[in-house]
Amino acid sequence: MNREFTLAVHSLLFLDAKPERYARSAEIASSAQAHPVQVRKVLSVLRDCGYVESKEGIGGGFSLKGDSSRINLWDIYQVTAEGTLRPKGAEEKVSYSLHSSTNTLLSIIFTDAEEHLGDFLKNYTIADLSDLWDKSR
């Protein structure tokens, strides 16, 4: 997993817990123990994908757009972390060296692993995680 995926899930959970108002990126960042710029970057991606909406000015910020039970973790993974499981350097030119072949083979395996991860993550929504959070408190 990468930091963007974690921040995206955290931000969506934060917004789901406060449906009656807009939340500022600094408020979400404080909750996530992250820098507000990182949170704004992730929220911009989520906004562009239609998961959140934003409002500028006084009383503005970010708000969840739509029903959290329709946002599954695979959707969020795809826009924030897709490909991060693959080994670095797998895009190198094909050759017959052991190094290049190892990267190619691992890339095949981790691409398959990511597909299996997707099948698993599709079973969980932001609403599911909100429910788990409520039950754990």
Side-chain angles (χ1 to χ4, degrees), residues 2 81 83-92 99 102-104 106-107:
N2 67 12
T84 57
L85 292 181
R86 295 184 197 120
K88 305 298 180 240
E91 302 83 24
E92 295 174 13
H99 171 74
T102 302
N103 283 343
T104 301
L106 288 174
S107 182

Side-chain angles (χ1 to χ4, degrees), residues 3-21:
R3 181 71 171 152
E4 287 79 14
F5 175 75
T6 305
L7 282 176
V9 171
H10 182 95
S11 298
L12 291 167
L13 287 168
F14 188 95
L15 296 174
D16 191 41
K18 301 179 183 306
E20 69 285 350
R21 67 178 186 87

Side-chain angles (χ1 to χ4, degrees), residues 81-101:
E82 188 170 32
T84 57
L85 292 181
R86 295 184 197 120
K88 305 298 180 240
E91 302 83 24
E92 295 174 13
K93 293 181 180 177
V94 176
S95 73
Y96 295 101
S97 72
L98 179 59
H99 171 74
S100 182
S101 296

Side-chain angles (χ1 to χ4, degrees), residues 42-114:
V42 168
L43 287 168
S44 292
V45 170
L46 295 174
R47 183 190 59 223
D48 292 347
C49 293
Y51 298 116
V52 301
E53 59 187 5
S54 62
K55 178 181 169 187
E56 293 186 25
I58 296 173
F62 294 88
S63 178
L64 193 63
K65 186 176 180 180
D67 185 356
S68 63
S69 67
R70 300 180 65 83
I71 305 170
N72 70 54
L73 295 184
W74 179 239
D75 294 336
I76 304 309
Y77 180 89
Q78 286 181 299
V79 299
T80 60
E82 188 170 32
T84 57
L85 292 181
R86 295 184 197 120
K88 305 298 180 240
E91 302 83 24
E92 295 174 13
K93 293 181 180 177
V94 176
S95 73
Y96 295 101
S97 72
L98 179 59
H99 171 74
S100 182
S101 296
T102 302
N103 283 343
T104 301
L105 294 171
L106 288 174
S107 182
I108 292 167
I109 290 168
F110 280 93
T111 297
D112 189 42
E114 198 168 55

